[in-house]
Amino acid sequence: QVQLVESGGGLVQAGGSLRLSCAASGRTFSRYAMGWFRQAPGKERELVAAIEWSGGGTHYTDSVKGRFTISRDNAKNTVYLQMNSLKPEDTAVYYCAADRSILVLITNDEYDYWGQGTQVTVSS
């Protein structure tokens, strides 16, 4: 069982930056693939970025490539999402997800564990 707690969301102006953190419980964090998803009002939840267990492999949705960076610190049981050059269309609730896998997982149904989410609002 893994529990995930996100933090770092908030209100920021367009062009600004935020760093989201996701702290995971458990002693086997390094064996989990991690992902960041987001859901805007009236839209489906979508993958933002994913990272495999060692941090060596990552995947990004096209709309955030070059602006967002996913990383992890297995010693701290934490995964991060650095978000730069934020746009109003990045406004959403951001969720952290985990699953025991050595692969990069890119779809919702591949993840078994989810955090409660953190709101990110980008004003124009």
Side-chain angles (χ1 to χ4, degrees):
Q1 193 81 348
V2 175
Q3 292 185 325
L4 305 172
V5 179
E6 302 99 334
S7 62
L11 173 64
V12 64
Q13 289 188 332
S17 298
L18 284 173
R19 187 174 84 154
L20 305 183
S21 298
C22 174
S25 65
R27 294 177 293 177
T28 59
F29 175 75
S30 63
R31 301 178 187 177
Y32 283 78
M34 303 295 297
W36 284 100
F37 289 75
R38 67 186 179 187
Q39 188 167 21
K43 295 187 177 181
E44 292 186 354
R45 188 174 298 186
E46 64 170 353
L47 175 77
V48 177
I51 189 166
E52 53 93 45
W53 68 277
S54 72
T58 58
H59 175 88
Y60 297 91
T61 194
D62 286 345
S63 62
V64 307
K65 285 180 181 177
R67 300 189 298 123
F68 291 10
T69 303
I70 188 171
S71 63
R72 66 190 296 161
D73 185 338
N74 287 342
K76 295 182 178 180
N77 282 14
T78 302
V79 63
Y80 304 98
L81 185 68
Q82 178 67 44
M83 305 186 295
N84 299 329
S85 302
L86 282 160
K87 304 175 181 180
E89 51 264 43
D90 294 318
T91 295
V93 178
Y94 283 69
Y95 297 90
C96 175
D99 196 78
R100 186 156 180 159
S101 173
I102 62 171
L103 303 175
V104 178
L105 305 179
I106 62 172
T107 62
N108 290 12
D109 57 8
E110 292 181 293
Y111 288 90
D112 284 338
Y113 303 102
W114 293 84
Q116 293 299 308
T118 186
Q119 177 71 45
V120 171
T121 303
V122 184
S123 63
S124 57

